[in-house]
Amino acid sequence: MSFLVNLALGLLFGIGLVVSGMADPAKVLNFLDLFGTWDPSLAFVMGGAVIVAFIGYRLVLTRERPVIGNTFHLPTRNDIDARVIAGPAIFGIGWGLGGFCPGPALTALGLGGTGTLAFVPAMIVGMWAARLLADNWMQARTA
Amino acid sequence: MTEFTPIASLMGGMMIGLSATLLMLWEGRVAGISGIAGRLLPPYRDGAFLSRFGFVVGLIAAPVAIAVATGEAVQQTVSSNVPLMIAAGLLVGFGSVWGNGCTSGHGVCGLSRLSARSIVATCVFMATAFATVFLVRHMIGS
């Protein structure tokens, strides 16, 4: 059941990415090209998504618990550590090079572009490396 | 050049925000794609594998659903420079998981929760992305 609900929500998210233009690297790179062929469209994607989620989260979080499960799994950390600076800095460089962030890259997989088929496996390797390194990091810090 | 599409982009963004809201309603999780995709890889710590797998299957199926519904294939322009795209993929995968979030987790969900951590993360990745495109297109490219 949860699989099917998530499949529907992933589908809605993915359709949103395609409709908005986020899944087209050419559009992303033009949004990031402030001093060239600037296309401001993607500011509207973030604006639309944040407005809906801002209101939606407030309504949902008045509930005691989600529909399934006992608690809301909200991130609790508020500190600004080295990782939350270094990670996004590295991610932003890759986003600027390829025009893909994780969601749009997965959504573009089925379109079979050469660049996508190179990007996605590399992204998965990068994610796995970060997870393993993060585990070692945590162990070293708590040891 | 790409066409300025404020209405389509706003509509698409609202669908993304709706999906994130409904995921919070359904099982109380943020819709961060780097977190969802990264946790499909071992080690597994909670029982949410099938949920995450379903979400990713939905993401991947989206262009197919659009093609079936509209009868038109989805158009996009991706670089076919394989070494460049491998480097970009490694950086995006590593950086998003190392920093606990990407455009969706820190960007959409974090900004919506007014999380200070996510606001900082979003400013950092926007800044390095703008700088990278500036360097590639205007310093090296031209």
Side-chain angles (χ1 to χ4, degrees):
Chain A
M1 177 67 180
S2 212
F3 174 83
L4 290 177
V5 171
N6 272 268
L7 189 135
L9 295 181
L11 201 57
L12 177 63
F13 198 103
I15 292 171
L17 288 172
V18 173
V19 167
S20 66
M22 271 303 278
D24 183 358
K27 212 160 165 63
V28 173
L29 293 174
N30 279 343
F31 171 68
L32 295 172
D33 192 4
L34 284 178
F35 302 99
T37 50
W38 194 48
D39 175 355
S41 304
L42 296 197
F44 289 78
V45 187
M46 192 56 101
V50 169
I51 289 167
V52 171
F54 181 86
I55 298 167
Y57 276 1
R58 261 144 204 80
L59 294 174
V60 167
L61 293 174
T62 58
R63 294 169 55 97
E64 257 177 51
R65 57 176 72 95
V67 175
I68 62 161
N70 292 321
T71 52
F72 290 104
H73 305 273
L74 292 169
T76 49
R77 290 181 59 179
N78 272 318
D79 60 311
I80 310 298
D81 65 340
R83 275 181 59 184
V84 85
I85 305 286
I90 294 168
F91 159 56
I93 295 170
W95 193 32
L97 286 179
F100 272 140
C101 50
L106 291 170
T107 298
L109 205 53
L111 302 174
T114 308
T116 313
L117 297 180
F119 184 97
V120 171
M123 177 178 87
I124 292 168
V125 169
M127 285 178 161
W128 203 29
R131 281 203 69 195
L132 295 180
L133 244 157
D135 280 355
N136 290 336
W137 173 281
M138 291 304 286
Q139 278 167 9
R141 297 194 113 196
T142 52
Chain B
M1 289 293 285
T2 47
E3 197 187 341
F4 179 47
T5 54
I7 304 297
S9 289
L10 188 69
M11 291 297 152
M14 292 173 85
M15 290 181 204
I16 294 167
L18 182 63
S19 171
T21 300
L22 293 176
L23 187 64
M24 186 59 73
L25 173 66
W26 174 250
E27 59 184 46
R29 291 183 192 280
V30 294
I33 308 300
S34 55
I36 291 172
R39 289 185 182 91
L40 287 181
L41 304 161
Y44 303 115
R45 297 213 178 77
D46 60 21
F49 180 86
L50 263 184
S51 292
R52 296 192 177 109
F53 183 62
F55 198 93
V56 170
V57 170
L59 267 184
I60 296 172
V64 181
I66 291 174
V68 169
T70 65
E72 278 179 49
V74 172
Q75 296 297 319
Q76 56 156 211
T77 314
V78 193
S79 166
S80 51
N81 182 336
V82 169
L84 173 85
M85 293 305 278
I86 288 175
L90 286 171
L91 293 169
V92 164
F94 185 88
S96 59
V97 168
W98 189 249
N100 293 112
C102 55
T103 343
S104 48
H106 278 313
V108 175
C109 299
L111 295 189
S112 298
R113 295 187 305 110
L114 302 178
S115 152
R117 227 171 118 78
S118 292
I119 292 168
V120 169
T122 305
C123 290
V124 171
F125 72 65
M126 290 307 303
T128 56
F130 280 127
T132 302
V133 171
F134 183 76
L135 281 174
V136 170
R137 287 199 172 173
H138 301 293
M139 305 300 279
I140 302 167
S142 57

